[in-house]
Structure formats: structure tokens, C-alpha cells
Amino acid sequence: MADAVIFDVDGTLVDTNYLHAVCWWEAFRQHDHGVNMADVHRAIGMGSDKLLDHLLPGDRDSDADDDIRAAHRALYGVFWTRLRAFDGAADLLRACAGRGKKVVLASSASSGELAALRATLDADDAIAAATSSSEAGESKPAPDIVQVALERAEVEPERAVFVGDAVWDVHACRKAGVPCVGVLTGGIGEEALREAGAVAVYPDVADLLRQLDGSPLA
């Protein structure tokens, strides 16, 4: 039985992955990097430092990386007041909390972005703790953000379960010793999530909520 449920936010609870993909694509274009949108999408879920190294040439002028990240933040910030939580997201958080589980958000977003995401979710009454990118020494797929979430929940890895949408979530969880449940709303297919090591995969959080008592979250 899980004593804590740790949730990724972007693409899992809030419908943002494709917004991020477009904003990164445009930020790259503004700095003369042509990166295919599909490649950008598959990298969403990494921290921005890992994402840039993953998508851009290794011999690039890395002095421009901060400017690329700033361009992405500015482009994405336009959408902050228009974000949409997935159907059932807040209800799932409250259902987990109502069953006595500690609900922790583990996001690679900045503290400002995380505040916007929490406002979109409107479920702070169910959230015991939350982490942002500034609290992790290394971003996903490193396990740091998951380990910080475990510390906040005050549970051992085997007493927690993670819910995420990206293979990077699954890789981070495997390194931290936490089982990961996948959802398909980030645009990554079930086969890819299971090959990465997801213990179960659901179409979305609404379906996970409907099957909650028979899921790994229970």
C-alpha cells in the first residue's frame, strides 16, 4: 500500500506539453537552431539544462543557452492564465488525500511556473507538499526531484508511487526506487512508457481516478 502519491504536473495533471514544445521550438528558431518539433516533444519532461544538451549540437556556443531558456520562459508565460487542468486531475488529488495518502507535486518547472500550475489545478487543500526545479540538484531523468519529493512526504521509496507522462519520469523513478504509473496525456505512447519501466499505464488521470481502488496508487 502506498503512503504517498507523487505527481508530475506538466502533461500529467495540466495540459501543457504541446505548449512547451511549440515554445521551445520557437526559442530555438530565434537563436538559429532548427530542431524538429517531434524531437522537441519527445524531450519534454527533461529539465531545461538536459533538454538543451539533448536537442542541440554539443559544439554550440553554450553561452547562448541562458538566452534560449529566457526566450522559452517569455513565450510560455503568455499562456499561464489560460492553462487547463485535465478532467479529473483535482478530483484525483483529493481522492488520494481522502484515502490518507500524502499528495506531493514533483515538477521540473520553475517556482513561478509551478505557482501558475497550482492555481490552474485549484486543489491546494489536497496537496501536502510540492517541489520545483530549484530544489533538485540535477533535473530529470536524474532521480533528484523524486528524492526531494520522498523527503517532503517522509516516506521510503517502497511506500510511494509516482504518476507521470514521460519516459524521463519513469527513468527518474527507477533510479529512485519508486514505481511509476504512466498516463498518455503527455503524448508519449503506452509501449514507450512500459518499455521504460512503467508498472501500469492509463489513458488519463480521469481513467486512473475511476480505477483508483484497483490501481497501484491503492
Side-chain angles (χ1 to χ4, degrees):
M1 182 179 293
D3 294 326
V5 184
I6 305 169
F7 288 91
D8 173 62
V9 184
D10 283 297
T12 299
L13 299 174
V14 183
D15 193 4
T16 58
N17 277 17
Y18 290 94
L19 297 175
H20 277 299
V22 170
C23 293
W24 278 119
W25 177 87
E26 174 60 16
F28 292 143
R29 190 199 65 79
Q30 290 179 6
H31 290 80
D32 300 320
H33 293 291
V35 183
N36 292 338
M37 187 78 75
D39 294 330
V40 178
H41 171 244
R42 285 191 291 269
I44 299 300
M46 288 181 166
S48 63
D49 55 338
K50 298 282 182 66
L51 183 144
L52 292 178
D53 287 340
H54 183 72
L55 292 173
L56 299 182
D59 60 355
R60 70 186 184 279
D61 177 11
S62 58
D63 289 342
D65 285 3
D66 285 343
D67 291 336
I68 296 173
R69 281 190 281 265
H72 167 265
R73 284 195 300 271
L75 291 160
Y76 179 62
V78 172
F79 297 103
W80 280 12
T81 60
R82 291 179 280 169
L83 299 180
R84 174 184 171 271
F86 288 115
D87 292 343
D91 291 337
L92 177 59
L93 300 186
R94 292 190 174 102
C96 290
R99 286 162 170 76
K101 303 177 188 302
K102 293 182 179 178
V103 173
V104 181
L105 304 185
S107 174
S108 295
S110 67
S111 57
E113 288 178 22
L114 183 57
L117 293 165
R118 291 184 68 157
T120 299
L121 282 169
D122 192 23
D124 275 359
D125 54 292
I127 298 169
T131 69
S132 65
S133 59
S134 63
E135 297 168 276
E138 193 174 349
S139 62
K140 290 184 285 188
D144 300 33
I145 197 79
V146 182
Q147 292 167 339
V148 172
L150 290 169
E151 292 171 6
R152 294 291 177 80
E154 299 180 316
V155 297
E156 296 300 317
E158 62 271 15
R159 302 297 293 178
V161 64
F162 190 101
V163 181
D165 66 285
V167 294
W168 316 115
D169 295 321
V170 187
H171 291 322
C173 286
R174 288 182 66 183
K175 294 171 185 175
V178 176
C180 184
V181 171
V183 291
L184 301 179
T185 41
I188 302 302
E190 179 173 357
E191 182 178 357
L193 291 170
R194 289 193 180 277
E195 284 183 354
V199 298
V201 178
Y202 296 83
D204 50 37
V205 288
D207 188 67
L208 178 53
L209 174 61
R210 284 190 290 270
Q211 302 188 58
L212 182 58
D213 289 331
S215 77
L217 276 64

